[in-house]
Amino acid sequence: MNAKGINPGRRRRLIIIGISFVVFIYLVQLFMLQIVNEDYKARADNNAFLRKTLYPSRGTLYDRNGNLLVFNQSAYDLMVVMKEVHPFDTLALCNILSVSADQFKKRMVDIKNRSINPGYSPYLPQTLFTQLGNKEYGVLQEFLYKFPGFYIQDRTVREYNYPNAAHVLGYIAPVDKQNIQDDDYYTTGDYIGKTGVERSYESILRGEKGVEILLRDAHGRIKGKYENGAQDVEPVSGKNLTLSIDIELQKYGEELMQNKLGAIVMIEPATGEVLCMVSSPTYDPSLFIGRQFGVNYKELAKDPFRPLLDRSLGGIYPPGSTFKTAQALVFLQEDVITPTTAYSCFGGWPLNNGRPACHAHGSPLSLAPALGTSCNAYFSWGLHAMLNNKKKYGTIANAMDIWRDHMVDQGFGYKLGIDLPGEKGGLIPNSQFYNKQNKRWNAFTVISIGIGQGEVAVTPLQVCNLAATIANRGFFYTPHVVKNIQDMSLDSLYTTRRYTKIASQHYEPVVEGMRLAVAGGTCSGAWMPDIEVCGKTGTSQNRGHDHSLFMGFAPKDNPRIAIAVLVENAGFGARMAVPIGRLMIEKYLKGEISESSKWLEYNVKEATVLHSALQKN
């Protein structure tokens, strides 16, 4: 022990421990800087390399006949590496970009805000402005040397050959914070499908990014490719899609629906392929290209007629008398009626303020004539008979739930599963629903669902699918708008038959009733001398004027087309929906509108019903 009382061996150990502790701290700090701290790593790499993302070409879209619908055009993004920015002429850059100084300053601030721009690093390229035009690109390329830290990134933007099918095609827009968190493929400034096919097939359309690694010198100047490009990764283009849509048919449907609210859906029964899907009003998809996207979107969002709503699959309506075909099938399957069962009408069920609530026709009627004349009483009596059959069902609740299950099997009450976002399921009530609404409900209190009113709610897509199911005599394919994917097969969901639990023989009297409806009944306006059309009208009650509906298929045997038309606030189905349906069927099956139908086409195109929608809704 020395004079100070400290053992030399112990002192040596303390010194070693102290030195070891300091070394440990340095090692931890070095680990944090080089391994954990991304900014340090990015800064070190960025001193020597510039990693330039190579964006793939997005897959193109074609219609069923090979017409190019959506393709790509060159565009350019202005990128900035904040740590490389030196004093420059801000006003000059703003003039080139056609933005104000305030806009430029705000954008520079937003880039540094990690709540807006997750993963921000001052050492990595950040997107400043997107979709520069060719003129801006040309000028900027010439004077880029005056703006240190700024770079041009090659991109592509969507271009459209037709101003149609906006809801089907969808649009792309910059990714948001949630997109980046959900999928590490995306970084700030990337684009993603937001609606339509662009969204539902995003992972197929987007392709795979590549990267080009460039060498820098000590002054940050580009000196060429790293290892002569050996470490570069080429981008992989997205796959092309062929849609089932017939763009000429789609265009014609949109023309017929101008100045009207509603939808047209047409399906090929043999495949489930959607031939057209019109939602009116609509918009030109090219409005969502370029830097005016935000302005145009806000204008459309403020429109009282709601052009951004896809009414074909997202609009929910009472089906009206089109629903009687589904009712008839349930009643036949459950032995409530036979094709020869007759019910008396006496003006309808129930009486409407003492006046007949039905169409003028004979009484009593069997099933097919009841469908042909759209007899309200027939289907009200049928539902009453089913719900009150205690011998078979025990309770009205059990009967209601069996009725509801049959409706679900026919494609109602839930989403069908079309390959587009935004589909609604509608509503088919069951006993539990009525128990919550009214503890003392009975067949009379719910009788309106027998004629497609009351609590029943459907989409135009579901009504068209019902027409396709009847056309096929008992099965349907899940409706879909993509016919073919480059080098891939379709999901089996769209190629597998979905059968109802209704025997196929029960469809024949329903088909006959729909034939009678066109041959001389409520939708005789759909009759054509050389095409045997089967149809059913609908007039669904609404807060304002009634909605006009038509559904059908053609030809009667070996049908090629199923259709549903809904025009809001247009009154009787025969007034507006039937003429539109007739013209659409003729257009598709014949390829053109005959001279004898030109007067009808003119009247439909000239008709306007928007004013009543604003007044009554």
Side-chain angles (χ1 to χ4, degrees):
M1 186 173 291
N2 59 25
K4 294 185 178 180
I6 299 177
N7 187 296
R10 184 181 179 190
R11 182 178 183 183
R12 195 162 38 250
R13 285 194 298 273
L14 289 173
I15 292 172
I16 292 173
I17 291 172
I19 293 172
S20 299
F21 181 74
V22 171
V23 171
F24 175 76
I25 293 298
Y26 274 107
L27 289 174
V28 169
Q29 185 66 17
L30 188 61
F31 175 81
M32 294 295 291
L33 286 172
Q34 293 187 332
I35 306 299
V36 178
N37 191 312
E38 293 293 333
D39 273 357
Y40 181 86
K41 184 176 185 298
R43 182 178 182 180
D45 285 348
N46 212 52
N47 284 335
F49 308 113
L50 174 64
R51 296 177 182 273
K52 186 177 181 181
T53 301
L54 302 178
Y55 287 94
S57 293
R58 196 170 177 88
T60 52
L61 305 180
Y62 299 84
D63 87 333
R64 67 186 297 109
N65 298 314
N67 295 305
L68 180 61
L69 304 179
V70 186
F71 58 101
N72 302 303
Q73 288 280 42
S74 296
Y76 311 94
D77 291 350
L78 181 60
M79 314 295 288
V80 59
V81 178
M82 290 298 189
K83 278 295 183 181
E84 297 180 6
V85 174
H86 301 303
F88 64 95
D89 189 340
T90 304
L91 186 59
L93 182 55
C94 289
N95 288 336
I96 293 173
L97 299 173
S98 299
V99 299
S100 67
D102 288 340
Q103 287 177 300
F104 183 86
K105 291 175 183 177
K106 182 179 185 303
R107 190 73 194 100
M108 293 288 279
V109 171
D110 287 346
I111 284 177
K112 300 177 184 178
N113 185 341
R114 283 189 169 88
S115 64
I116 298 175
N117 183 18
Y120 164 73
S121 170
Y123 304 101
L124 297 177
Q126 308 293 315
T127 304
L128 184 61
F129 289 104
T130 62
Q131 298 189 20
L132 303 183
N134 288 329
K135 180 180 179 181
E136 296 165 325
Y137 166 75
V139 177
L140 190 58
Q141 186 82 321
E142 182 179 354
F143 295 104
L144 195 61
Y145 71 93
K146 294 184 176 182
F147 309 112
F150 293 88
Y151 304 89
I152 293 177
Q153 172 73 64
D154 294 348
R155 298 292 291 265
T156 58
V157 295
R158 292 308 232 179
E159 291 286 342
Y160 301 89
N161 268 337
Y162 300 84
N164 309 105
H167 292 101
V168 174
L169 300 175
Y171 63 87
I172 62 173
V175 294
D176 55 33
K177 183 178 179 180
Q178 192 62 50
N179 297 142
I180 295 172
Q181 291 177 348
D182 292 343
D183 191 337
D184 58 10
Y185 174 90
Y186 302 104
T187 59
T188 301
D190 284 353
Y191 285 78
I192 189 172
K194 292 291 187 178
T195 63
V197 169
E198 296 281 16
R199 176 176 171 182
S200 52
Y201 287 87
E202 166 67 17
S203 61
I204 292 172
L205 287 167
R206 72 188 183 188
E208 299 176 16
K209 296 176 185 174
V211 64
E212 182 181 38
I213 306 174
L214 303 174
L215 278 173
R216 298 175 183 269
D217 63 15
H219 301 287
R221 294 172 297 197
I222 302 300
K223 303 302 292 182
K225 289 190 174 186
Y226 173 61
E227 293 185 357
N228 292 320
Q231 302 301 318
D232 292 353
V233 177
E234 289 296 318
V236 178
S237 298
K239 296 186 180 301
N240 301 330
L241 302 182
T242 298
L243 306 189
S244 60
I245 298 296
D246 181 326
I247 193 61
E248 294 299 328
L249 186 67
Q250 178 79 23
K251 178 182 178 182
Y252 186 64
E254 292 182 14
E255 290 173 358
L256 295 180
M257 288 296 291
Q258 283 185 357
N259 299 318
K260 306 169 189 68
L261 305 181
I264 304 172
V265 181
M266 298 178 76
I267 293 174
E268 185 177 67
T271 62
E273 294 173 2
V274 177
L275 299 170
C276 82
M277 184 172 275
V278 175
S279 178
S280 182
T282 184
Y283 59 92
D284 186 337
S286 63
L287 289 174
F288 288 170
I289 297 174
R291 290 159 64 182
Q292 290 300 306
F293 170 91
V295 174
N296 293 334
Y297 185 91
K298 288 179 181 178
E299 287 299 314
L300 290 171
K302 291 189 297 184
D303 190 318
F305 295 119
R306 304 174 68 191
L308 294 177
L309 170 65
D310 187 348
R311 288 170 165 84
S312 64
L313 53 79
I316 300 177
Y317 309 89
S321 294
T322 62
F323 204 56
K324 292 173 182 174
T325 55
Q327 296 282 29
L329 291 165
V330 175
F331 299 159
L332 289 168
Q333 181 65 32
E334 289 298 311
D335 295 322
V336 175
I337 62 171
T338 69
T340 59
T341 298
Y343 287 122
S344 296
C345 180
F346 302 117
W349 179 326
L351 291 180
N352 182 16
N353 296 324
R355 294 172 295 164
C358 200
H359 309 280
H361 56 72
S363 177
L365 293 175
S366 59
L367 177 58
L371 283 168
T373 58
S374 197
C375 177
N376 288 335
Y378 191 97
F379 298 95
S380 298
W381 280 118
L383 182 65
H384 180 270
M386 180 175 178
L387 296 182
N388 279 351
N389 191 342
K390 294 183 180 179
K391 183 177 180 180
K392 181 174 183 178
Y393 302 111
T395 65
I396 188 174
N398 190 41
M400 174 60 73
D401 290 342
I402 290 174
W403 173 87
R404 187 255 187 188
D405 290 344
H406 278 302
M407 291 302 175
V408 170
D409 287 337
Q410 293 183 80
F412 297 109
Y414 292 91
K415 297 177 182 179
L416 284 167
I418 189 171
D419 53 344
L420 288 173
E423 182 187 3
K424 301 296 183 184
L427 173 64
I428 298 295
N430 59 8
S431 62
Q432 187 179 10
F433 175 89
Y434 285 119
N435 289 338
K436 290 180 180 179
Q437 299 293 317
N438 184 351
K439 293 183 179 180
R440 301 185 64 180
W441 63 278
N442 56 48
F444 291 102
T445 61
V446 303
I447 204 69
S448 61
I449 65 174
I451 57 173
Q453 293 291 161
E455 294 75 25
V456 175
V458 302
T459 66
L461 175 65
Q462 291 173 335
V463 177
C464 187
N465 188 69
L466 172 64
T469 305
I470 298 172
N472 288 331
R473 278 62 165 179
F475 69 87
F476 64 90
Y477 294 92
T478 301
H480 51 285
V481 298
V482 170
K483 180 181 178 68
N484 179 265
I485 305 173
Q486 178 186 358
D487 301 325
M488 292 179 65
S489 58
L490 281 182
D491 191 310
S492 61
L493 170 67
Y494 306 117
T495 58
T496 303
R497 288 184 177 184
R498 294 169 61 176
Y499 286 90
T500 69
K501 292 185 174 65
I502 295 168
S504 59
Q505 67 267 21
H506 294 319
Y507 284 86
E508 291 306 329
V510 173
V511 170
E512 175 61 14
M514 294 175 69
R515 186 192 69 80
L516 291 176
V518 176
T522 56
C523 48
S524 57
W527 183 84
M528 285 179 272
D530 49 352
I531 299 175
E532 193 167 26
V533 178
C534 296
K536 184 71 193 76
T537 52
T539 306
S540 67
Q541 294 177 0
N542 176 47
R543 288 179 298 164
H545 294 298
D546 295 341
H547 298 323
S548 177
L549 293 95
F550 169 75
M551 75 158 215
F553 60 90
K556 172 178 174 287
D557 299 313
N558 301 313
R560 294 173 53 198
I561 186 71
I563 185 171
V565 180
L566 182 144
V567 185
E568 295 182 16
N569 311 111
F572 293 119
R575 176 174 176 255
M576 188 60 66
V578 168
I580 291 174
R582 182 197 186 284
L583 290 167
M584 292 296 290
I585 291 171
E586 184 176 0
K587 178 72 171 179
Y588 183 71
L589 295 183
K590 295 184 177 181
E592 60 182 7
I593 301 301
S594 63
E595 286 299 320
S596 61
S597 299
K598 289 293 184 180
W599 65 271
L600 181 63
E601 180 185 59
Y602 175 82
N603 288 338
V604 168
K605 287 185 177 181
E606 290 297 306
T608 299
V609 291
L610 293 177
H611 64 283
S612 60
L614 282 182
Q615 290 171 353
K616 297 295 183 180
N617 287 312

